[in-house]
C-alpha cells in the first residue's frame, strides 16, 4: 500500500503539515519524516526511504521539497508522486555561504532573535502582525534549536543540483506556490513544471513561504483534489456488500467538504449559524447540490453514499437532536419501529 510521507522544511516539524495530514490519513497510511538528524539532503532522503516499506508519495515543504525530489531521484520505482510546496531546485548560489553563516552565528547566539528576524519575511505581509501565527511558528523554531539549525543550513549549502536530474522525474508532481512567497517565488515553480514531464501548478493566494500553515485549508483542498484525481482509482476498494455504501478511501476524498462542514458544527457559533440559515451555512463549505439536499432532508444513507463519515456527520444531530436508532433505521432502509424490532429485539408497539 502506498504511504503518504510528509516532510517538513528548515527549522520545521510535523506541525507544518498537521492539518493536511489529518485530512489525508483517511486516504492512505501517513508518515511524518524527521529531518533533524542527518547532515545532508541525500542522507535525509535515504533515511526516510529506509523507514518506509513499499511505494510512497512524498509531500515536502521548502527544504522538504528538495528532500522529496532527491527521494524520487534515488528510488524512482518507489516514489509514485511528489507534492512540492514553496520549494526550489537550484544548487548553492554565489555569495550564499556568507549570508547563511550570518544566520548560523545568530542562531548559535540567540535562537529567539533568529526566529524574530527570520519568520516575518516568510509570511504574507498582511499576516506579519498575526501574533498567534508568529508565536506558533516561533515555538516550532525554538523546539528545533541551534544545533539542528546549523546542521540543516550546512545540508542546504551542499544540496544536490536537482535541475541536473529533474527531466528524469516521471512521476506525477503537484507544485504549490504562494502569491506572496518571496523566498520561493512562483516563477521558480513554473521552471520546475516546465522541466518535468507530468506536473500541475496550484497558486495559493494570500500566503507566503509558510503556505501550508498560513492557508492550511486551501493547501489541503489542493492536495486532496490532486490525490483524488491522480491516485483515486488505486484507492477504491471492492464493494463487498451489495447496495451498501462503504466509507472507503475514495469516499473519504469525495466527502471531504461534507465532513469538514459537519465537524464545524462542534462549535456553538456554527450550530447557531446552521440553524439560522442552513443553505447559506452549507454554501460556506462549497457543498454540491446533492450534498446540500442530503443534509437538508437529513438523508443519512445518502450522506454516507456521498462520502460522509458517520462519526462526523452525526454532529448534525446535535443541531436538531435525532435518536441514534432513527439514524440506524435510515441506514438500514427500515422504519424506526421495524429497526427497533428486527435489529434490537424491541417489542413492537401494541
Amino acid at each position: 500500500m502506498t504511504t503518504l510521507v510528509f516532510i517538513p522544511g528548515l527549522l520545521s516539524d510535523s506541525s507544518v503539515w498537521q492539518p493536511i495530514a489529518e485530512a489525508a490519513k483517511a486516504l492512505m497510511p501517513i508518515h511524518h519524516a524527521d529531518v533533524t538528524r542527518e547532515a545532508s539532503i541525500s542522507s535525509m532522503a535515504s533515511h526516510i526511504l529506509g523507514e518506509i516499506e513499499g511505494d510512497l508519495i512524498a509531500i515536502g515543504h521548502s527544504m522538504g521539497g528538495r528532500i522529496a525530489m532527491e527521494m524520487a531521484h534515488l528510488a524512482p520505482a518507489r516514489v509514485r508522486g511528489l507534492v512540492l510546496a514553496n520549494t526550489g531546485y537550484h544548487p548553492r548560489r554565489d555569495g550564499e555561504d556568507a549570508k547563511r553563516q550570518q544566520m548560523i552565528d545568530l542562531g548559535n547566539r540567540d535562537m529567539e532573535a533568529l526566529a524574530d528576524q527570520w519568520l516575518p519575511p516568510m509570511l504574507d505581509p498582511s499576516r506579519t502582525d498575526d501574533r498567534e501565527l508568529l508565536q506558533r511558528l516561533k515555538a516550532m523554531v525554538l523546539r528545533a534549536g541551534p544545533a539542528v539549525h546549523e546542521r540543516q543550513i550546512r545540508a542546504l549549502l551542499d544540496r544536490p543540483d536537482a535541475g541536473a536530474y529533474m527531466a528524469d522525474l516521471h512521476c506525477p508532481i503537484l507544485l504549490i506556490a504562494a502569491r506572496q512567497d518571496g523566498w520561493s517565488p512562483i516563477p521558480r515553480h513554473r521552471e520546475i513544471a516546465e522541466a518535468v514531464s507530468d506536473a500541475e501548478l496550484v497558486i495559493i493566494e494570500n500566503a507566503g513561504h509558510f503556505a501550508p500553515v498560513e492557508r492550511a485549508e486551501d493547501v489541503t483542498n489542493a492536495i486532496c483534489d490532486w490525490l483524488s484525481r491522480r491516485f483515486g482509482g488505486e484507492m477504491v476498494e471492492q464493494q463487498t456488500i451489495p447496495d451498501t455504501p462503504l466509507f472507503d478511501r475514495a469516499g473519504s476524498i469525495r466527502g471531504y467538504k461534507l465532513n469538514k462542514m459537519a465537524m464545524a458544527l462542534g462549535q456553538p457559533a456554527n450550530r447557531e449559524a446552521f440553524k439560522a440559515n442552513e443553505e447559506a451555512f452549507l454554501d460556506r463549505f462549497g457543498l454540491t447540490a446533492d450534498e446540500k439536499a442530503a443534509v437538508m432532508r437529513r438523508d443519512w444513507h445518502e450522506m454516507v453514499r456521498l462520502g460522509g463519515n458517520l462519526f462526523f456527520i452525526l454532529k448534525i444531530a446535535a443541531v436538531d437532536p435525532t435518536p441514534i436508532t432513527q439514524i440506524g433505521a435510515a441506514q438500514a432502509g427500515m422504519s424506526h419501529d421495524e429497526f427497533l424490532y428486527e435489529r434490537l429485539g424491541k417489542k413492537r408497539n401494541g
Side-chain angles (χ1 to χ4, degrees), residues 234-249:
E234 300 176 23
M235 299 176 191
V236 176
E237 296 172 354
Q238 184 65 35
Q239 292 276 2
T240 57
I241 308 174
D243 301 319
T244 300
L246 300 180
F247 188 73
D248 55 15
R249 294 184 183 91

Side-chain angles (χ1 to χ4, degrees), residues 254-329:
R254 185 172 63 251
Y256 170 74
K257 293 179 180 179
L258 175 61
N259 291 316
K260 182 174 180 181
M261 178 280 302
M263 285 298 292
L265 294 175
Q267 299 296 321
N270 287 331
R271 290 197 294 272
E272 291 304 315
F274 182 86
K275 287 189 284 188
N277 188 329
E278 284 192 20
E279 188 167 8
F281 184 82
L282 299 178
D283 285 339
R284 282 168 47 184
F285 295 86
L287 268 62
T288 66
D290 288 343
E291 289 169 338
K292 287 170 58 178
V295 172
M296 295 179 74
R297 67 176 182 263
R298 304 299 189 265
D299 187 337
W300 306 98
H301 192 277
E302 178 67 2
M303 282 188 263
V304 172
R305 190 189 72 79
L306 293 169
N309 181 332
L310 268 177
F311 288 104
F312 297 158
I313 62 176
L314 279 175
K315 290 189 179 294
I316 298 169
V319 178
D320 47 0
T322 304
I324 189 67
T325 52
Q326 190 169 318
I327 297 172

Side-chain angles (χ1 to χ4, degrees), residues 31-348:
H31 176 82
H32 286 290
D34 180 354
V35 295
T36 63
R37 294 168 291 181
E38 284 70 39
S40 71
I41 299 296
S42 293
S43 62
M44 292 173 191
S46 296
H47 181 81
I48 297 169
L49 288 167
E51 288 184 319
I52 300 161
E53 295 183 3
D55 293 348
L56 57 93
I57 296 170
I59 302 176
H61 172 250
S62 191
M63 181 186 75
R66 294 181 179 274
I67 297 168
M69 283 187 279
E70 187 69 6
M71 290 167 63
H73 175 56
L74 294 174
R78 291 180 57 200
V79 178
R80 303 290 310 283
L82 295 173
V83 177
L84 309 176
N86 307 99
T87 196
Y89 67 94
H90 295 103
R92 177 170 48 186
R93 299 176 183 274
D94 292 341
E96 185 177 342
D97 302 57
K99 294 178 181 178
R100 296 280 194 182
Q101 186 61 51
Q102 289 176 359
M103 297 303 288
I104 290 173
D105 294 342
L106 176 58
N108 287 334
R109 289 195 307 271
D110 186 342
M111 281 298 292
E112 287 205 30
L114 180 139
D116 291 338
Q117 177 177 319
W118 182 65
L119 285 171
M122 292 284 178
L123 305 177
D124 173 3
S126 69
R127 301 292 296 279
T128 55
D129 59 352
D130 186 334
R131 294 184 62 185
E132 189 278 332
L133 174 62
L134 282 167
Q135 286 301 316
R136 187 152 40 104
L137 291 173
K138 183 175 180 178
M140 179 183 70
V141 169
L142 296 180
R143 285 196 298 271
V148 168
H149 175 241
E150 180 168 355
R151 184 156 52 247
Q152 290 181 336
I153 289 290
R154 298 204 183 282
L156 282 168
L157 284 171
D158 293 330
R159 61 189 178 266
D161 178 6
Y165 60 70
M166 200 170 294
D168 298 324
L169 301 181
H170 298 299
C171 63
I173 298 175
L174 174 65
L175 294 155
I176 298 177
R179 184 71 65 186
Q180 285 75 33
D181 185 356
W183 291 83
S184 298
I186 294 171
R188 189 176 302 171
H189 294 78
R190 294 195 194 280
E191 290 172 7
I192 297 175
E194 292 170 0
V196 299
S197 60
D198 185 358
E200 297 178 36
L201 173 63
V202 172
I203 298 173
I204 305 297
E205 302 293 340
N206 305 309
H209 191 70
F210 272 100
V213 180
E214 296 171 76
R215 298 293 170 191
E217 180 178 348
D218 293 340
V219 174
T220 297
N221 288 340
I223 293 175
C224 288
D225 174 71
W226 180 77
L227 288 170
S228 176
R229 288 185 291 102
R230 301 310 303 264
F231 298 95
E234 300 176 23
M235 299 176 191
V236 176
E237 296 172 354
Q238 184 65 35
Q239 292 276 2
T240 57
I241 308 174
D243 301 319
T244 300
L246 300 180
F247 188 73
D248 55 15
R249 294 184 183 91
S252 70
I253 300 173
R254 185 172 63 251
Y256 170 74
K257 293 179 180 179
L258 175 61
N259 291 316
K260 182 174 180 181
M261 178 280 302
M263 285 298 292
L265 294 175
Q267 299 296 321
N270 287 331
R271 290 197 294 272
E272 291 304 315
F274 182 86
K275 287 189 284 188
N277 188 329
E278 284 192 20
E279 188 167 8
F281 184 82
L282 299 178
D283 285 339
R284 282 168 47 184
F285 295 86
L287 268 62
T288 66
D290 288 343
E291 289 169 338
K292 287 170 58 178
V295 172
M296 295 179 74
R297 67 176 182 263
R298 304 299 189 265
D299 187 337
W300 306 98
H301 192 277
E302 178 67 2
M303 282 188 263
V304 172
R305 190 189 72 79
L306 293 169
N309 181 332
L310 268 177
F311 288 104
F312 297 158
I313 62 176
L314 279 175
K315 290 189 179 294
I316 298 169
V319 178
D320 47 0
T322 304
I324 189 67
T325 52
Q326 190 169 318
I327 297 172
Q331 283 291 98
M334 298 177 174
S335 72
H336 193 207
D337 283 346
E338 287 174 333
F339 182 81
L340 292 175
Y341 179 76
E342 298 288 344
R343 298 296 175 88
L344 302 181
K346 303 289 186 181
K347 292 183 178 179
R348 292 184 187 272

